[in-house]
Amino acid sequence: KVLRQLAGMLGLRRCLLPRSFLGLRPLGLRYAAHAADSGGLGSESAVDYSGAAGIFRPSPFSLRMATVTTPFFPVFVNNLRNNGGRNKKRQKRLRGVGSRGGRSLPNRAAKPYSRAKGKTDGGQEPLFRRVPKWGAAISRNKQKKYEPLNLCRLRKFIERGQLDARFPITMRHLHESRCVSRVRVGVYLFNVNNYPFPYKIDIEVAVADQSSINAIKAVGGSVTIVHMPRLSLRALVKPYKYDILPRHSRPNLETIHFMEKMRARGAKVRYIKPLWLLQEERKMVGELREFAAEEAIDDETMQAR
């Protein structure tokens, strides 16, 4: 019984009757003596062979108590061994009547889709197919989610000295000063209850409401609306991640309408005009010149008469 307990403590699969009880010298003593010469733990004093004590304390480096015949010393890569019984293999839950635990499992039902948790409705129509689509939710998910920035928060960062009002403030300065947590699509500047803003600044954002534009222009500042796609905006905020900075893309018709709407609010607008817009402007300028020339000719004829 004692030997079985010792074998379980040492993680051994079997334990033979030690030869010390028969008055014989153990076979693994030469390895223990070799370890004792090198200062190891497998010395001869680690084993009690006296029959008077009545207790057998086997050395952990004895080959008779091991399941393999390779020596313990010297320690190399090829004689490393794992502690037996430390890592137990996980029991696989099988299926079927003839397998272990296949018919009546304690935590799962013996039916189809028993292992799919929350992925099936058991044969009936799923919930996401029973409920009709909501168009407002689809359009809301497609909208750009700007990072909001209150004018009061901007004022607080300027008063702390984290932003310098003497120089233009870009979205990179707002991100580096932690005035905004992240800049993915752009920054939306707004003002609550027409709160006055005392500092003259030049700030560049993606969107601004009418109240914030009026508050900044009242003290002599300016608000510039900048069109930047996500790649160009990321290069602006984190330029150290790019060896070659990407070029700005040209806006589409919807974006141009939005930028002109911001210009009508009183803000400055900066974006790269597409080629078709440049052609339209040239065409309109040519037509205006023709109309002006025709009006001048008509005025000269009227004066001649």
Side-chain angles (χ1 to χ4, degrees), residues 277-289:
L277 182 58
L278 295 175
Q279 295 175 359
E280 290 292 334
E281 288 182 352
R282 292 171 186 173
K283 184 178 179 180
M284 291 180 64
V285 170
E287 291 177 356
L288 291 176
R289 288 177 180 176

Side-chain angles (χ1 to χ4, degrees), residues 147-151 153-155 157-158 162-164 168-183 186-189 201-207 233 236-237:
E147 187 70 20
L149 174 60
N150 195 345
L151 210 59
R153 180 177 176 84
L154 181 63
R155 176 181 178 178
F157 272 72
I158 293 175
Q162 295 175 320
L163 290 174
D164 195 350
I169 300 174
T170 62
M171 287 182 278
R172 178 182 177 182
H173 300 147
L174 297 175
H175 180 266
E176 290 179 350
S177 62
R178 308 306 298 170
C179 188
V180 292
S181 60
R182 58 185 180 180
V183 182
V187 178
Y188 170 60
L189 184 64
I201 61 172
D202 298 330
I203 186 171
E204 295 181 359
V205 291
V207 191
L233 187 59
L236 173 67
V237 176

Side-chain angles (χ1 to χ4, degrees), residues 33 86 100 118 138 148 202 218 224 230 249 276:
R86 181 178 180 87
R100 181 180 180 183
I138 298 175
D202 298 330
T224 305
R230 299 191 66 168
S249 62
W276 61 268

Side-chain angles (χ1 to χ4, degrees), residues 112-164:
Y113 311 106
S114 60
R115 294 175 182 267
K117 290 186 176 181
K119 298 180 181 179
T120 178
D121 290 343
Q124 68 179 13
E125 194 73 10
L127 180 62
F128 72 94
R129 295 184 63 179
R130 296 197 303 265
V131 179
K133 295 181 180 180
W134 186 24
I138 298 175
S139 61
R140 184 177 66 246
N141 294 333
K142 292 182 179 180
Q143 293 178 358
K144 294 183 178 180
K145 298 180 181 179
Y146 296 97
E147 187 70 20
L149 174 60
N150 195 345
L151 210 59
C152 297
R153 180 177 176 84
L154 181 63
R155 176 181 178 178
K156 181 173 64 175
F157 272 72
I158 293 175
E159 292 174 352
R160 287 179 179 178
Q162 295 175 320
L163 290 174
D164 195 350

Side-chain angles (χ1 to χ4, degrees), residues 80-94:
L80 295 178
R81 64 204 70 195
N82 189 13
N83 187 7
R86 181 178 180 87
N87 299 327
K88 294 184 179 179
K89 189 176 180 181
R90 183 181 177 184
Q91 180 183 357
K92 182 180 178 181
R93 294 193 173 185
L94 305 177

